[in-house]
Amino acid sequence: MSDRITVNVRLFATLKERAGVEQHTMQLNKGATVAEFKQQLSEEFPGLPKESSGMLVAVSQEYAFDEELIPPDVEIAVFPPVSGG
């Protein structure tokens, strides 16, 4: 049994532009958290924010917090932070 999982990543808005791709498949360690996913994504795409607060993540269409675990075979959507007035 593998200690890695596969996830499909979709980048939106300015993150898509900065990474140069809209979709990407990643291998993560089994038991990886959203924070660990963000860190690995930033390492794979140096144009993305290094700080965790620079990306909002939805796992299977539900917003996810940094401490949440990522299950295998899910779609992860990544958005830039939204500011409002």
Side-chain angles (χ1 to χ4, degrees):
M1 190 166 246
S2 174
D3 59 345
R4 307 280 284 168
I5 63 171
T6 301
V7 295
N8 295 310
V9 181
R10 295 195 61 194
L11 300 167
F12 291 89
T14 56
L15 298 178
K16 175 175 69 173
E17 295 167 12
R18 292 171 75 179
V21 298
E22 181 177 352
Q23 296 186 20
H24 179 64
T25 301
M26 287 179 64
Q27 296 287 314
L28 300 172
N29 289 327
K30 193 177 286 185
T33 63
V34 170
E36 292 166 334
F37 160 77
K38 289 179 183 179
Q39 180 180 352
Q40 184 174 327
L41 187 66
S42 292
E43 290 169 1
E44 290 188 28
F45 296 97
L48 297 179
K50 300 293 181 226
E51 66 283 347
S52 186
S53 63
M55 294 184 266
L56 299 175
V57 171
V59 176
S60 297
Q61 301 180 358
E62 296 285 334
Y63 280 107
F65 296 99
D66 283 351
E67 65 277 0
E68 291 183 43
L69 297 179
I70 297 178
D73 303 317
V74 294
E75 180 176 84
I76 300 176
V78 186
F79 306 91
V82 179
S83 60

